[in-house]
Amino acid sequence: MKKILLLLLCCLPAGMTSVYAQKLSAGELERFQKAEDSLVASADSMYRAYMYEDRIEYCHKFVKQLSNLLKQDNAYTYPFEKLAKKVHIISPDDKSFRMFNWTVEYKLAGFRYYGAVQKADGQLIPLLDMSEKIEGNALYGFLSNKNWFGSEYYRIMTQKSADGRPLYFVFGANNNGNGYSTKTVDLLNIEGNKITFGGDYFRVNNMPAKRFVLEYQKGAQVSLNWDNERGMIVYDRVISEVNQPQRRNTLVPSGMVDGMKWANFQWQPVQDVVPIMKLKDGQAPVNGVIPGQ
């Protein structure tokens, strides 16, 4: 058994072996690996069960297993590499916390979002999805972990505040709208055992905003993400198919791309990040260049 555990430690990525060799004993490593295998099996069931109600039951089992495991000593040092193929596990650059996040389809085209933040000191803070109740102006105010606009988070990025504190911005997607979906960029703030979402770090339509919200027709392919080459957040500008922008289920990509750049400790809007070529009749671009320009 000791030889097997030694082999497992040797197979960890470079730089990781020494950390876990110091933090986890052979017995702890074996216990976490067995528990992770059980979590993966529960995750498969909560995603694939034929009956919707069975998926929720398996999800409740998964939540209990995960919560119990993350509360154990040294749990923060275990990487959960197998589980990361089933649920989102993302961390900021400073590794001060990590977020476990997943979604379960509990009825046809209806989703429940689940999440928990585990701090480096081992403290675990659950996120309670209230997205089906958060509408209108409520979506643009401060939210908490007990009143969370459930999202499937796919990125955490860090900026610095005016006083040098790290600011954690999370990118997420929610598909619970009636005929529309929502993507957001939000500030995640952790103080002790409390989490809040939202902050005065956004400017939208020349007005201050607590978060950036992009709504669009469900099923449309709309991007909202960090562009490393341009050094800014970029997203698809959406327009209404029927010239009724108040109807969110009619909003689709226009072909134009806008962005947000971090300046003066705030996300400032940038229009037309990708210029659109305007051709006259009979013209065609050659190697991306319009003739005569």
Side-chain angles (χ1 to χ4, degrees):
M1 179 60 72
K2 289 184 178 179
K3 290 182 178 180
I4 295 174
L5 290 172
L6 180 61
L7 178 60
L8 288 169
L9 285 170
C10 292
C11 291
L12 288 170
M16 196 176 288
T17 303
S18 60
V19 173
Y20 296 121
Q22 293 171 9
K23 298 278 188 176
L24 295 176
S25 68
E28 285 178 321
L29 183 60
E30 183 180 18
R31 186 175 72 250
F32 276 111
Q33 288 170 336
K34 287 182 178 180
E36 183 180 23
D37 288 340
S38 182
L39 279 168
V40 168
S42 295
D44 282 335
S45 297
M46 75 179 180
Y47 290 142
R48 298 180 181 181
Y50 181 75
M51 303 296 290
Y52 288 121
E53 55 266 30
D54 290 340
R55 296 181 187 180
I56 296 300
E57 288 299 318
Y58 281 117
C59 183
H60 290 167
K61 177 183 177 182
F62 178 84
V63 169
K64 186 175 180 180
Q65 288 176 299
L66 180 63
S67 177
N68 290 338
L69 186 59
L70 294 181
K71 291 176 182 177
Q72 294 186 22
D73 292 342
N74 293 329
Y76 194 79
T77 67
Y78 188 73
F80 290 101
E81 292 175 345
K82 291 181 182 178
L83 186 61
K85 297 176 182 179
K86 301 294 181 180
V87 304
H88 299 285
I89 305 176
I90 54 177
S91 302
D93 293 335
D94 63 11
K95 307 298 182 184
S96 59
F97 67 90
R98 61 182 174 183
M99 180 182 291
F100 293 77
N101 181 222
W102 66 96
T103 180
V104 175
E105 188 175 13
Y106 73 98
K107 64 179 181 180
L108 184 62
F111 301 90
R112 285 183 185 161
Y113 296 84
Y114 297 83
V117 171
Q118 184 189 31
K119 297 169 60 178
D121 62 8
Q123 189 174 23
L124 190 64
I125 307 172
L127 304 178
L128 305 181
D129 179 20
M130 296 293 174
S131 59
E132 292 183 313
K133 298 180 180 179
I134 298 174
E135 270 288 344
N137 291 334
L139 180 55
Y140 295 88
F142 286 108
L143 300 171
S144 72
N145 61 299
K146 296 181 180 180
N147 186 37
W148 172 50
F149 185 73
S151 297
E152 193 168 6
Y153 292 122
Y154 50 92
R155 176 183 288 273
I156 297 178
M157 66 177 303
T158 308
Q159 296 290 355
K160 291 289 186 181
S161 66
D163 60 6
R165 292 181 298 108
L167 299 171
Y168 305 111
F169 293 96
V170 289
F171 294 66
N174 178 293
N175 291 307
N176 264 341
N178 184 18
Y180 68 93
S181 297
T182 306
K183 286 190 175 181
T184 56
V185 182
D186 208 348
L187 176 73
L188 169 64
N189 184 52
I190 305 175
E191 292 185 4
N193 63 350
K194 294 183 180 180
I195 288 179
T196 57
F197 293 91
D200 298 322
Y201 296 98
F202 300 88
R203 193 158 189 85
V204 179
N205 297 327
N206 293 319
M207 296 288 290
K210 296 291 187 292
R211 63 183 52 83
F212 179 78
V213 179
L214 182 62
E215 297 172 320
Y216 55 94
Q217 185 181 98
K218 187 173 288 189
Q221 298 299 309
V222 174
S223 177
L224 170 64
N225 217 329
W226 173 256
D227 187 314
N228 198 52
E229 182 178 343
R230 293 182 172 85
M232 68 175 71
I233 296 170
V234 298
Y235 60 92
D236 290 307
R237 187 190 306 175
V238 295
I239 57 173
S240 172
E241 293 178 305
V242 294
N243 199 29
Q244 296 183 35
Q246 73 279 8
R247 293 174 56 189
R248 293 169 289 188
N249 62 339
T250 71
L251 299 175
V252 296
S254 65
M256 293 173 280
V257 178
D258 294 328
M260 292 183 288
K261 197 171 186 67
W262 186 252
N264 298 321
F265 307 105
Q266 194 176 54
W267 289 111
Q268 302 281 354
V270 180
Q271 288 193 326
D272 298 321
V273 171
V274 180
I276 301 298
M277 291 183 180
K278 296 182 179 180
L279 301 177
K280 297 179 181 179
D281 290 343
Q283 281 188 323
V286 178
N287 294 327
V289 179
I290 299 176
Q293 293 191 8

